[in-house]
Amino acid sequence: MRRRTDAQASNNEPVNADRKDPDQRLPSQAKAEGRVSYSSVLTTIGKCLLVIIFIPPFLNYASLQREGQVLLPKDGQMVDVGLGQKMHLLCKGKGQPVVILDAPTGMSSDVWWHVLESVATLTMVCTYDRMGLGFSRRQMQNETTGTEKVWGMSTTGRMVDDLHRLLQAAEIAKPFILVGSELGSLNGRFYSHIHDVQVSDLVLIDPIPEDVFEDDQWKQYWWGKLVPSLQARQFSAATGLSRMLIILGVIEPAVTGEDVSEEVILRQKYLLSNPAHQSSAVDEHYFLNESAAQVRDITKFKPLSSRTAVSVITGDSFDQEIPEHLNQMVARLQKKFLEESYPSANHIHIKGADRRMIYKKPSAISQYLRKLVHQRQAKQQSE
């Protein structure tokens, strides 16, 4: 019996040894399983990143294609201005003189919505999108020929040439009242000096002084802070992030209010998500100093006709969101250039306003433009 037990024990030893092996190999197997688990986690994270990186831009692009057709203003028109270019023009109302509104730097014609609706009850009022902004598609540089190539794509000289061809193609009655804000004021000055017979009144809202970019602190703010923030907005639009932030309510349209139509709100959101529009906005800001230099040169070369009346509308500050010393510097330079260039200009001050006044305090601007229209209409009737 003892021999059998020993034999059984002897026979059982390998079995027991085999049973112990799994426990002995467990650490190495656990490591292998850990590596597999870690690899699967990395794969999952990679897939999630791919979804985050590629899906939002794709969805944003698809949405932009649809919205670009649906949100085109019903009262607007795409005008062929030659050279294979089409510009968006929106006119409301009837009568003369026609009022032409040119938007601030990097903004579409929607910022004039309040003013447009108010003044259009008296006469015809027209807004337009500069090339590359809003619904006016920008052409490549090599797709234009002739004098247009003399000017940079996003400078006042080129914009004025575009505007001139637009007004000719649309057969806008002349002389008209030309109103410009910020960059639009530079365009208005350039246009009025070149085509003075066409402009009865020039209205400058928050005009940008020609010498502002000679100040080092202003250059540091403009190219060191403002332009990079706009470039970040362009990148955000290109990646689809802007659309997500709009949905979350982090980014909101500039023109808001109970009386603003839903179509205008949607159109602004569309442009905030549109990288092409944002790219043109960046370019207009980046080349603003060159635009100012062009205006300075043209005003010296060809003085403004005495037939054109000039009005200037300013607020308490140029921009309430920038440091006070910069606002004081802009105000000082504004006063200097107005005294030198337009000493007889009618100056209107709007209390509590800054460069956003055309959509933050539009009633004051509308009231003054309506007054101008009444004066011109009365003069036309007397003649």
Side-chain angles (χ1 to χ4, degrees), residues 315-330:
D316 291 340
S317 58
F318 178 74
D319 188 341
Q320 296 173 354
E321 296 182 2
I322 66 175
E324 182 58 27
H325 71 276
L326 291 180
N327 279 312
Q328 293 176 357
M329 181 269 296
V330 173

Side-chain angles (χ1 to χ4, degrees), residues 10-24:
S10 177
N11 290 337
N12 287 340
E13 284 179 2
V15 175
N16 292 338
D18 290 342
R19 288 175 181 172
K20 291 179 182 180
D21 274 349
D23 294 335
Q24 292 174 352

Side-chain angles (χ1 to χ4, degrees), residues 28-313:
S28 61
Q29 288 180 350
K31 289 180 181 179
E33 291 173 358
R35 285 194 297 268
V36 172
S37 177
Y38 182 69
S39 176
S40 64
V41 169
L42 287 179
T43 302
T44 302
I45 293 174
K47 290 179 180 179
C48 292
L49 288 176
L50 288 175
V51 170
I52 293 173
I53 293 172
F54 290 107
I55 296 300
F58 176 79
L59 293 177
N60 184 55
Y61 178 78
S63 298
L64 290 175
Q65 298 305 303
R66 183 186 70 257
E67 294 166 350
Q69 298 176 352
V70 175
L71 295 177
L72 181 67
K74 298 178 179 63
D75 297 328
Q77 56 179 318
M78 298 302 296
V79 180
D80 188 341
V81 297
L83 305 173
Q85 296 175 318
K86 290 186 177 182
M87 297 182 69
H88 174 245
L89 177 70
L90 174 62
C91 295
K92 284 192 173 185
K94 294 181 180 180
Q96 295 183 28
V98 179
V99 179
I100 309 296
L101 305 175
D102 200 347
T105 320
M107 293 188 174
S108 73
S109 55
D110 278 327
V111 295
W112 291 111
W113 191 84
H114 292 98
V115 177
L116 175 70
E117 295 294 322
S118 175
V119 183
T121 60
L122 278 182
T123 189
M124 178 182 285
V125 187
C126 297
T127 63
Y128 78 105
D129 291 328
R130 292 189 293 268
M131 206 67 75
L133 297 178
F135 293 92
S136 296
R137 298 290 180 263
R138 181 165 61 177
Q139 302 296 318
M140 298 303 294
Q141 186 77 26
N142 60 1
E143 293 184 15
T144 61
T145 58
T147 57
E148 298 80 18
K149 295 189 71 173
V150 173
W151 311 107
M153 181 67 74
S154 297
T155 63
T156 283
R158 176 57 189 270
M159 295 172 195
V160 167
D161 183 79
D162 290 338
L163 177 58
H164 180 60
R165 286 187 285 131
L166 172 65
L167 298 179
Q168 282 187 317
E171 299 181 347
I172 298 299
K174 305 173 183 64
F176 47 76
I177 298 174
L178 184 55
V179 185
S181 175
E182 288 185 6
L183 174 57
S185 70
L186 291 177
N187 295 344
R189 293 176 61 199
F190 196 111
Y191 194 105
S192 300
H193 282 260
I194 294 294
H195 308 290
D196 51 4
V197 178
Q198 300 180 15
V199 183
S200 63
D201 293 85
L202 173 63
V203 181
L204 307 175
I205 302 175
D206 281 320
I208 297 175
E210 302 158 2
D211 301 332
V212 69
F213 287 96
E214 295 179 8
D215 184 273
D216 291 336
Q217 290 182 314
W218 180 263
K219 289 190 289 188
Q220 183 179 1
Y221 157 73
W222 195 264
W223 285 302
K225 184 176 181 180
L226 180 60
V227 172
S229 70
L230 295 171
Q231 291 171 332
R233 184 180 297 180
Q234 177 189 350
F235 176 79
S236 177
T239 57
L241 179 60
S242 291
R243 185 173 293 274
M244 296 173 61
L245 294 176
I246 290 171
I247 294 173
L248 295 173
V250 178
I251 300 178
E252 295 183 352
V255 183
T256 56
E258 295 180 358
D259 57 339
V260 179
S261 68
E262 182 65 21
E263 181 184 356
V264 173
I265 299 293
L266 291 175
R267 196 154 57 234
Q268 291 180 86
K269 292 180 178 180
Y270 158 73
L271 294 178
L272 286 170
S273 304
N274 191 331
H277 171 84
Q278 297 300 330
S279 174
S280 296
V282 170
D283 288 347
E284 287 193 353
H285 283 83
Y286 188 83
F287 292 108
L288 191 64
N289 65 323
E290 188 173 338
S291 292
Q294 290 175 358
V295 174
R296 180 173 57 243
D297 293 341
I298 208 66
T299 54
K300 291 179 180 178
F301 173 75
K302 191 176 186 299
L304 185 66
S305 170
S306 59
R307 294 188 299 267
T308 303
V310 180
S311 301
V312 179
I313 303 177

